[in-house]
């Protein structure tokens, strides 16, 4: 409080007392100092600590001494505040996105000793719910953000080619199908978090996928073991939601001995094999055609190197899978996406030809002369 003196009309001295009390100036600042730990150990030197108000960075400091972000006599982690910040909260985060257990309620600009305890467990994560999850089309679905860490931006991929940047969008699915939905959230420190819920929305009378092919980070050499349903057999339907990291999808043309880019409308048939890159573990879902009287496809293989896929839902010896060209193939080589290396060569000799071929995998095959490879197991 403040006191001021004055003279009354009667000439006596009176005191006028100003009882107003301001908890924060129009422009002040907090100055923090103290220790910092990550998972119970001293926070390493060189790490950044941010002070955040309303998801905006108000201050930052570089840890110069392990376990201590600022000394008692400075330099401090300074956070400017104003009268409009009264009652808000200061949060503390590292450059890795870990958030401290401690916070600071803004009441005035002060010098504050505060130890900060961080955990390396993800403090921010993307998540959402939706309702309804299934129904006849056109189906109106309300998506609700459940992400932690107060994202500043949202990017939704509804799986049908439509997107949104709203926090809680409403989307209408027109066509029957099973749709995977993805959400990418962006944060003040440049981080982003992604969640994809596979086969999340079902529109119309659509069954779950019949099979799936797992993808590992890096290059994958894959195939489909059976004929796929119309509309679910093109590259967009199969691979449209895969994060390929800017890479094209390829197939091999043995006649020109060159690579062909697989376009969105390219139909993937049994016996075909494609190379696809993914930035993370993922899954390709397969919906088989319902016609039990499918005509088994064949694939023309020329002399030299070709590619093919296994048309069986079970592991099968190379000798059985290649029975239609039994005297014409020489070598078969698979690719292990887990190690990003080619597998051991299978040769067309009795002791080697019993080597296993796996459904969903793609293979290289060397032919001594031209032949027609027939599908099996369809």
């Amino acid at each position: 409080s403040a006191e001021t003196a004055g003279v009354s009309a009667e000439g006596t001295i009176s005191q006028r007392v100003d009882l107003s009390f301001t908890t924060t100036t129009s422009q002040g600042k907090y100055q923090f100092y103290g220790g910092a730990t990550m998972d119970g150990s001293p926070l390493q030197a060189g790490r950044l600590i941010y002070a955040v108000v309303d998801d905006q960075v108000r201050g930052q400091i570089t840890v110069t001494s392990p376990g201590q972000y600022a000394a008692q006599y400075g330099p401090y982690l300074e956070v400017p505040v104003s009268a409009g910040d009264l009652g808000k909260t200061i949060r503390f985060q590292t450059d890795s996105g870990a958030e401290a257990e401690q916070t600071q309620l803004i009441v005035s600009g002060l010098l504050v000793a505060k130890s900060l305890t961080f955990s390396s467990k993800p403090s921010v994560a993307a998540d959402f719910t939706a309702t309804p999850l299934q129904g006849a089309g056109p189906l109106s679905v309300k998506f609700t953000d459940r992400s932690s860490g107060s994202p500043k931006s949202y990017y939704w991929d509804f799986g049908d080619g439509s997107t949104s940047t709203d926090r809680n969008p409403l989307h209408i699915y027109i066509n029957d199908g099973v749709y995977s939905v993805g959400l990418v959230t962006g944060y003040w420190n440049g981080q982003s978090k992604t969640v994809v819920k596979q086969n999340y929305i079902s529109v119309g009378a659509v069954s779950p996928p019949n099979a799936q092919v797992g993808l590992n980070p890096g290059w994958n050499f894959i195939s489909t073991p059976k004929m796929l349903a119309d509309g679910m057999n093109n590259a967009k339907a199969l691979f449209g939601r895969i994060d390929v990291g800017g890479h094209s999808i390829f197939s091999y043309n043995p006649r020109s001995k060159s690579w062909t880019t697989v376009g969105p409308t390219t139909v993937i048939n049994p016996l075909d094999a494609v190379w696809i890159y993914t930035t993370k573990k993922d899954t390709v879902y397969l919906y088989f055609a319902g016609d039990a009287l499918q005509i088994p496809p064949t694939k023309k293989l020329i002399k030299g190197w070709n590619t093919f896929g296994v048309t069986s839902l079970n592991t099968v010896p190379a000798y059985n899978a290649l029975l239609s060209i039994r005297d014409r193939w020489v070598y078969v080589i698979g690719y292990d996406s887990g190690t990003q290396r080619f597998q051991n060569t299978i040769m067309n000799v009795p002791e080697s030809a019993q080597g296993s071929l796996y459904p969903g995998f793609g293979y290289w095959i060397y032919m001594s002369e031209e032949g027609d490879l027939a599908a099996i197991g369809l």
Side-chain angles (χ1 to χ4, degrees), residues 222-226 268-274 296-301 307-311 321-322 362-363 372-376 378:
I222 67 171
S223 63
T224 174
K226 295 188 68 175
I268 309 299
N269 290 309
L271 298 176
D272 291 342
V274 298
T298 60
K299 183 173 185 176
K300 179 73 71 176
L301 304 181
T307 62
F308 75 99
V310 179
T311 56
L322 305 174
Y363 291 91
D372 292 324
L373 175 61
I376 63 170
L378 293 180

Side-chain angles (χ1 to χ4, degrees), residues 146-196:
R146 301 293 187 193
S147 304
S148 59
S150 301
K152 62 181 291 187
S153 65
Y154 301 85
Y155 181 83
W156 297 83
D157 185 336
F158 300 115
D160 62 351
S162 300
T163 61
S164 174
T165 56
D166 293 341
R167 180 181 181 185
N168 299 307
L170 179 69
H171 181 65
I172 299 175
Y173 289 90
I174 303 299
N175 299 318
D176 289 359
V178 177
Y179 299 94
S180 298
V181 180
L183 170 63
V184 180
T185 53
Y187 295 86
W188 57 269
N189 60 356
Q191 275 193 314
S192 64
K193 297 294 181 180
T194 302
V195 59
V196 177

Side-chain angles (χ1 to χ4, degrees), residues 43-50 61-68 95:
L43 187 63
Q44 296 177 347
R47 298 294 297 273
L48 284 172
I49 295 178
Y50 299 100
I61 194 169
T62 301
V63 178
T64 56
S65 178
Q68 186 176 50
D95 47 6

Side-chain angles (χ1 to χ4, degrees), residues 313-374:
L313 294 177
N314 302 300
T315 301
V316 59
Y319 178 83
N320 292 357
L322 305 174
L323 200 58
S324 61
I325 51 170
R326 57 187 170 187
D327 298 326
R328 302 177 185 183
W329 70 276
V330 182
Y331 309 113
V332 169
I333 303 176
Y335 183 75
D336 186 343
S337 61
T339 61
Q340 296 288 289
R341 293 182 178 181
F342 286 100
Q343 298 171 330
N344 293 332
T345 301
I346 298 175
M347 296 182 291
N348 192 4
V349 294
E351 61 271 19
S352 180
Q354 295 302 314
S356 296
L357 303 183
Y358 297 91
F361 279 52
Y363 291 91
W364 287 99
I365 183 170
Y366 188 87
M367 299 285 289
S368 61
E369 57 182 290
E370 190 173 283
D372 292 324
L373 175 61

